Amino acid sequence: MEVILYSALFAPLVGSCFGIPFASKEKFIGVGVFASLMLGVSFISSLLLFIYIFQGGIALKVTLMDWISAGGLYIPFGFLVDSVSATMMLVVTLVSLCVHVYSIGYMSHDRSFNRFFVYLSAFVFSMLILVMSDNFAGLFIGWEGVGLCSWMLIGFWYERNSASFAANEAFIMNRIADLGMLLGIFLIYWVFGSLNYEEVLSNVYEAPKEILIAMGVLLFIGAMGKSAQFPLHTWLADAMEGPTPVSALIHAATMVTAGVYLVIRANPLYAMIPEIGFAIACLGAFVAVFAATMALVNRDLKRIIAYSTLSQLGYMFVAAGLEAYWIALFHLATHAFFKSLLFLGAGNVMHAMHDKLDITKMGSLYAPLKYTAILMILASIALAGIYPFSGFFSKDKILEAAFGSGAYVLYVALLLGAFLTAFYSFRLIMLVFFGDKRHDESHPHEAYSYMLYAMLPLGILAVFAGFFEKSFHHFILQTLPNFEANLESQTLWTLIAVALIVALSGIGFAIFKYKSGGFSPKWQETFVYKVLSHQYYIPAFYNWLFIQNYFRLSKVSWNIDKSVIDFIVDMIARILQGGGVNMRFLQGGNLSKMLKVMFFGIVALLVLLFIFYWEVAWIIF
């Protein structure tokens, strides 16, 4: 099994390294094909490991090599495959495989085709390091790896100023959060003398609660940055500047799920500090509604789906904060399938519309993009949480967890989020695929057939993955603690009915409203619309508070550098230059002048010697 583990981990790295010699050369389709084959190897290996653990196999623990050994600090490069990491590996590799195959067609006309696959495979490798590591140091290496790869992929088209800005914004925002996480890791080592999960998490009950609270807060700050939770959320929507397959990977299987994974993995720690867990749940509920409201009015195809991811991450954090860790992981998995499907479908729409993104300027695309439309509708139904689609099972469990925990305010907030989610999801569907034609494209066309085949497994799982709930529940309890809402049967069915009615109402309202032409243009002049369309003016506030003040500080520093530092340096240069000019006559080659200078030099030396000996004699006598 150790060989299979290493195959799952290092196959994406092999695919990435294969493309490096071709990175700056003309398109070579073999780079994309080989990278996809390596992802296939990684997926099959992950599937075998998943089956092994599912059938009752013990958790695999392997050590590749000694890594850091200094004094009392010993950190091996070790890996752990249990039910949690096996689930993450399977989700990551499956979605990544579909994205890789899809990308061969999507990026086929891009001159940096080879470089794209180098970055994309490295992204997957970094995520696998993150989820497979058996210690916090290894997790942090993978954590920074996905941060670096996301920077390269978001800014892939670096010629665009907007892409470079978005890449830098994501990178810097995550570095701010990662400082908190790094401090949390230092604190863990200081208290426990180890960074190994098993050694740390099995002894958390021995540490003072104040220290545990500090650890939990610091680690969650890192999770906030990676999973784009408020107030470190602004980078996620701007990250849409990267190629669409990158968006599918970031939002479904890699970067943004890392924060949720961290909280789930550190569940013994957060179980000891339930007040911090509840704060996490409250923040998650706020973000679930906060992000959904911004999606209501946005006109950018990819940004709407991005806000949807932000909202669903809020649901996951609610479950994790209420100690329903297995439910959070279940929603993470189901969400990966329908969210990646939505993004890949959006990529097909963009190709058909020559990269236009304004959904209010589309319409009537169902006929030319029939297969894409069907897949996106299925994904949207799953996102809305309609039975029997996968999103229903996982989202409904989160609502039950909130109600069963007595967090009724959170439950109402999540219900509101469910209504908004259903509405904006079908607002997108109606404006893109139905209604009057509002674009000037004469021949929109469907994607290549193999791109659609790559989307098909995600479509199947978006529909049917929820039926594996009971099996998944039994499997994941090998590692995670159980959580039951303990609701009476009548109450449970009432909650299910309410959730379905709310979601169906949102879908029905969107279909009714946009079938009849949508909202009045006056709606766009209202205060609420302006606030939502400007993202509550938070990016503008950050720009005013941080970016503009940074520019002002830089300007002051530049003036100091120019007026003071440069003046001093130039003055020294002028003095030396002037001295050289004035002393140049000494090297003129005139023997008479040189003898005169020599004479005056000897006289000056004798005078100095006389003064010296006079002072010595004075001191002695």
Side-chain angles (χ1 to χ4, degrees):
M1 298 305 292
E2 188 172 334
V3 173
I4 297 175
L5 185 151
Y6 288 139
S7 298
L9 175 62
F10 289 109
L13 179 62
V14 172
S16 178
C17 292
F18 175 81
I20 290 175
F22 306 96
S24 59
K25 300 183 184 300
E26 293 183 2
K27 174 192 169 184
F28 174 41
I29 195 170
V31 173
V33 172
F34 186 78
S36 300
L37 288 173
M38 289 297 99
L39 255 297
V41 170
S42 183
F43 167 67
I44 292 171
S45 301
S46 299
L47 180 61
L48 292 174
L49 290 170
F50 183 89
I51 293 171
Y52 169 75
I53 300 295
F54 186 83
Q55 292 177 341
I58 60 173
L60 295 174
K61 300 176 184 178
V62 300
T63 299
L64 178 63
M65 61 182 178
D66 292 339
W67 180 24
I68 300 175
S69 181
L73 175 62
Y74 173 67
I75 304 175
F77 211 85
F79 302 100
L80 168 69
V81 178
D82 57 12
S83 58
V84 172
S85 52
T87 300
M88 290 296 298
M89 290 169 63
L90 190 63
V91 171
V92 169
T93 54
L94 173 59
V95 173
S96 300
L97 174 59
C98 295
V99 170
H100 269 70
V101 175
Y102 176 91
S103 298
I104 294 173
Y106 188 88
M107 301 297 291
S108 59
H109 301 295
D110 196 286
R111 61 187 178 87
S112 297
F113 177 91
N114 302 338
R115 178 167 61 91
F116 178 80
F117 280 94
V118 171
Y119 293 167
L120 201 66
S121 293
F123 198 11
V124 180
F125 171 69
S126 298
M127 188 64 186
L128 289 174
I129 288 281
L130 191 157
V131 301
M132 294 174 67
S133 177
D134 68 351
N135 62 79
F136 285 100
L139 178 143
F140 190 73
I141 294 299
W143 195 273
E144 294 305 299
V146 296
L148 173 63
C149 293
S150 69
W151 175 75
M152 294 189 294
L153 286 165
I154 294 169
F156 183 76
W157 291 313
Y158 54 85
E159 302 90 345
R160 304 177 185 174
N161 290 332
S162 57
S164 294
F165 177 86
N168 290 335
E169 180 186 15
F171 192 79
I172 293 169
M173 194 78 78
N174 277 274
R175 296 296 73 71
I176 293 169
D178 290 352
L179 175 60
M181 181 180 175
L182 195 58
L183 292 174
I185 292 174
F186 288 156
L187 184 59
I188 287 171
Y189 180 75
W190 179 65
V191 173
F192 298 105
S194 173
L195 293 176
N196 183 272
Y197 293 149
E198 185 176 2
E199 294 178 25
V200 171
L201 299 176
S202 62
N203 292 302
V204 289
Y205 63 89
E206 296 179 353
K209 189 167 185 178
E210 295 77 10
I211 297 295
L212 295 178
I213 289 174
M215 288 178 190
V217 170
L218 289 170
L219 290 180
F220 184 65
I221 289 173
M224 287 171 62
K226 204 62 86 190
S227 294
Q229 295 297 284
F230 178 88
L232 304 176
H233 66 282
T234 54
W235 69 266
L236 189 62
D238 292 337
M240 297 302 97
E241 290 291 338
T244 303
V246 174
S247 302
L249 209 52
I250 288 177
H251 288 250
T254 54
M255 190 162 173
V256 299
T257 61
V260 180
Y261 170 78
L262 174 60
V263 176
I264 293 172
R265 176 58 74 185
N267 70 88
L269 168 62
Y270 286 100
M272 295 292 293
I273 45 176
E275 56 271 39
I276 299 301
F278 187 72
I280 291 172
C282 291
L283 178 63
F286 167 74
V287 171
V289 178
F290 172 72
T293 56
M294 292 187 286
L296 289 176
V297 300
N298 204 282
R299 301 164 69 173
D300 187 298
L301 175 63
K302 290 173 65 178
R303 282 177 178 262
I304 294 170
I305 305 174
Y307 286 129
S308 166
T309 299
L310 186 54
S311 180
Q312 296 306 305
L313 288 167
Y315 279 85
M316 296 175 207
F317 277 117
V318 169
L322 296 176
E323 300 185 30
Y325 303 107
W326 79 267
I327 297 175
L329 186 60
F330 185 46
H331 192 53
L332 184 155
T334 60
H335 171 263
F337 304 137
F338 55 74
K339 185 52 56 69
S340 55
L341 184 59
L342 277 173
F343 270 114
L344 298 184
N348 292 350
V349 173
M350 288 174 62
H351 265 197
M353 299 298 295
H354 293 88
D355 291 336
K356 294 175 183 176
L357 288 165
D358 190 343
I359 61 173
T360 64
K361 296 179 180 179
M362 296 185 185
S364 296
L365 290 177
Y366 180 83
L369 275 69
K370 184 176 181 179
Y371 297 111
T372 295
I374 292 172
L375 289 170
M376 288 190 72
I377 290 170
L378 293 177
S380 297
I381 295 173
L383 174 59
I386 303 300
Y387 182 85
F389 291 73
S390 60
F392 164 80
F393 293 90
S394 55
K395 186 185 288 187
D396 190 67
K397 281 293 179 184
I398 297 174
L399 290 168
E400 291 173 18
F403 192 89
S405 300
Y408 302 120
V409 174
L410 301 187
Y411 171 76
V412 172
L414 295 180
L415 270 185
L416 175 60
F419 175 82
L420 297 177
T421 300
F423 177 80
Y424 68 68
S425 298
F426 277 83
R427 167 181 176 261
L428 183 151
I429 294 296
M430 294 299 294
L431 287 175
V432 171
F433 295 109
F434 301 100
D436 297 331
K437 179 180 177 181
R438 298 179 299 279
H439 58 86
D440 54 5
E441 298 295 332
S442 56
H443 298 290
H445 57 86
E446 188 61 273
Y448 298 126
S449 58
Y450 64 85
M451 294 171 68
L452 295 173
Y453 289 137
M455 296 168 64
L456 187 59
L458 300 174
I460 293 171
L461 288 168
V463 177
F464 297 110
F467 290 107
F468 297 101
E469 176 196 331
K470 294 187 183 299
S471 300
F472 178 81
H473 184 200
H474 176 74
F475 166 68
I476 210 66
L477 292 186
Q478 296 179 27
T479 305
L480 296 180
N482 192 18
F483 178 90
E484 293 288 351
N486 294 321
L487 298 171
E488 295 181 359
S489 178
Q490 184 177 356
T491 304
L492 182 62
W493 284 108
T494 302
L495 294 178
I496 292 173
V498 169
L500 279 174
I501 291 171
V502 167
L504 289 170
S505 298
I507 293 173
F509 184 50
I511 293 173
F512 168 76
K513 199 66 185 175
Y514 288 96
K515 191 176 181 180
S516 58
F519 289 91
S520 167
K522 292 183 178 180
W523 158 238
Q524 299 180 16
E525 301 173 4
T526 63
F527 173 75
V528 173
Y529 182 91
K530 291 178 180 178
V531 169
L532 297 181
S533 62
H534 287 89
Q535 304 173 55
Y536 292 89
Y537 293 98
I538 293 174
F541 174 72
Y542 286 174
N543 179 67
W544 170 78
L545 181 63
F546 297 112
I547 298 176
Q548 294 304 320
N549 284 329
Y550 178 79
F551 283 155
R552 293 186 186 100
L553 180 62
S554 298
K555 189 174 182 180
V556 171
S557 300
W558 180 76
N559 287 328
I560 293 173
D561 183 74
K562 182 179 179 182
S563 304
V564 179
I565 307 298
D566 284 359
F567 173 77
I568 294 173
V569 172
D570 292 344
M571 182 178 67
I572 294 172
R574 284 194 295 269
I575 291 172
L576 293 174
Q577 183 185 29
V581 170
N582 292 329
M583 299 299 291
R584 187 167 55 191
F585 73 93
L586 296 176
Q587 301 295 328
N590 189 311
L591 183 60
S592 176
K593 288 183 179 180
M594 294 174 71
L595 288 173
K596 289 178 182 178
V597 172
M598 186 185 297
F599 173 76
F600 284 116
I602 293 172
V603 171
L605 182 61
L606 290 174
V607 170
L608 289 173
L609 286 172
F610 177 76
I611 293 172
F612 174 75
Y613 283 115
W614 177 263
E615 290 292 334
V616 172
W618 178 264
I619 293 172
I620 294 174
F621 300 106

